[in-house]
Structures are given as C-alpha cells and as structure tokens.
Amino acid sequence: LVPKKANLKEQFEKAESKSVTTLMLRNVPNAYDRETLMEELDHLGFAGCFNFLYLPIDSATKNNVGYAFVNFNDEKTADDCMNNMSGYFFKGQPYNRRRAAIVSVAHLQGLEANLEHYSRTQVFFAPLPCQRPWVAPAAAQALLEKGEAAAWAPLGFAKLVEDAAVRPGTEQDDQSFSRRRMREQWW
C-alpha cells in the first residue's frame, strides 16, 4: 500500500546520497511467502547480508504480488545480488511458468528510509507479522538505540519491529504452515 500522493521516483532523484543498497526483485513466484524468499536468498549466499525485506501480500488471495524489496548491508552486496539474480529462475516456479527474475534499484534507499515509509502505511500494522516488512533485529535495535527512529516512528514501533523481526517459520501461523508443506516439495 503506497500512499497515492507519494512520488518515490522524485524523492529518489532529489536524495543527496545515491548509494544503492535497496533492490526491487520482480517475478517472485506468487506461492512464495516471506520465509521462502529469505531462504532462497540465504541459499544464494546472502545469509546475514540484508537487514530489511518486504514481500507485499495480496489480502484476498494471501499470495505475494510478484515483487519484493530487499535492503542489503552495503553497496557491494547489493551489486552482487543484482548481478547474481538478474535472469535467475526461482526454485519454486513450476517449469511451465518460469520467468526470469528482474532486479532493479528501488526508489527508496536504505533501512531507515524504508522503515520510515512503511511505518506510515497499513502494511506495517498487518495482523500477521509475516505480512509486515522484516527487519533484522540487530539493525532495528541499533536504530532505536541511536534515537534515529524517534522523529517518524509510530507509537509501539519497537514492538511492531520486534514481532516482524522474528524469522518466519520459527513461530507457526496458518499462512506459513500450508506454504511450508509446498516448499518441502521444491527443495
């Protein structure tokens, strides 16, 4: 849910820093949940290299909408991901519906910019933590300790981040349970 009045492209072009750490991954298989995408990124060698991931979920179908935003810890890792995943075929795609991944630079760059943006949307308050953006616990804690989140963070921000930071699958919910069985067939 992006606010209709937000012109993210314009904000990106006006930004002082042009360092690229946040990427948009397209053609993510619709059956993937957040955990599955994170596992595939881990499997590709990016375990511990990203501190933010948001995979939008369609509230009607409970499937993702085919793209995700990932913020990496540094520019080099983001560049490595862009090179390794451009044209990549996700493991969970049926052979007859395979589409190559498309990786591009996201309009919002950096952990704080992404959190500030999504904290003003309904998705940040989704009922299931697996439908919210994932934030690495250490990165969220560092932001909170420095007080950088104080200007824009909504009431209860620390608890929301803590809930969403739980690595998917460590706490069971109905949505991830059925997908886990499907995923076991793919790997």
Side-chain angles (χ1 to χ4, degrees):
L1 299 168
V2 177
K4 300 283 187 220
K5 296 179 183 177
N7 187 338
L8 301 178
K9 183 177 181 183
E10 187 177 292
Q11 289 176 20
F12 175 70
E13 290 169 352
K14 287 181 181 177
E16 292 176 22
S17 172
K18 296 287 186 187
S19 67
V20 173
T21 58
T22 307
L23 302 177
M24 180 181 194
L25 307 178
R26 292 188 176 117
N27 291 337
V28 176
N30 296 105
Y32 272 34
D33 60 8
R34 187 176 74 177
E35 178 184 1
T36 309
L37 180 58
M38 291 174 79
E39 285 177 357
E40 190 136 357
L41 287 170
D42 290 351
H43 181 72
L44 290 169
F46 297 107
C49 295
F50 54 95
N51 54 21
F52 174 89
L53 185 140
Y54 175 50
L55 180 68
I57 303 295
D58 182 315
S59 59
T61 65
K62 303 295 186 228
N63 288 325
N64 78 64
V65 295
Y67 62 88
F69 296 99
V70 182
N71 186 68
F72 291 90
N73 298 332
D74 56 63
E75 291 181 70
K76 184 188 179 325
T77 309
D79 188 52
D80 289 347
C81 180
M82 185 173 263
N83 292 330
N84 291 335
M85 291 204 69
S86 291
Y88 175 78
F89 290 98
F90 288 94
K91 291 184 180 217
Q93 291 177 317
Y95 186 74
N96 61 345
R97 297 188 65 203
R98 295 179 68 171
R99 294 183 299 171
I102 299 170
V103 184
S104 58
V105 174
H107 292 305
L108 289 174
Q109 288 297 314
L111 174 63
E112 189 173 354
N114 278 286
L115 286 175
E116 182 176 355
H117 172 74
Y118 288 110
S119 70
R120 295 188 309 251
T121 66
Q122 287 296 346
V123 74
F124 208 80
F125 302 94
L128 293 174
C130 66
Q131 294 175 334
R132 298 181 203 144
W134 175 85
V135 184
Q141 188 62 37
L143 270 179
L144 292 169
E145 286 174 2
K146 286 195 276 185
E148 293 179 12
W152 49 263
L155 189 63
F157 175 76
K159 177 66 175 146
L160 287 169
V161 168
E162 180 183 317
D163 289 348
V166 171
R167 184 69 190 241
T170 57
E171 290 184 8
Q172 206 69 283
D173 62 51
D174 293 338
Q175 183 178 353
S176 65
F177 179 73
S178 62
R179 295 190 190 283
R180 181 175 293 282
R181 286 190 290 154
M182 288 183 355
R183 187 172 49 257
E184 288 169 356
Q185 297 170 358
W186 297 335
W187 297 97

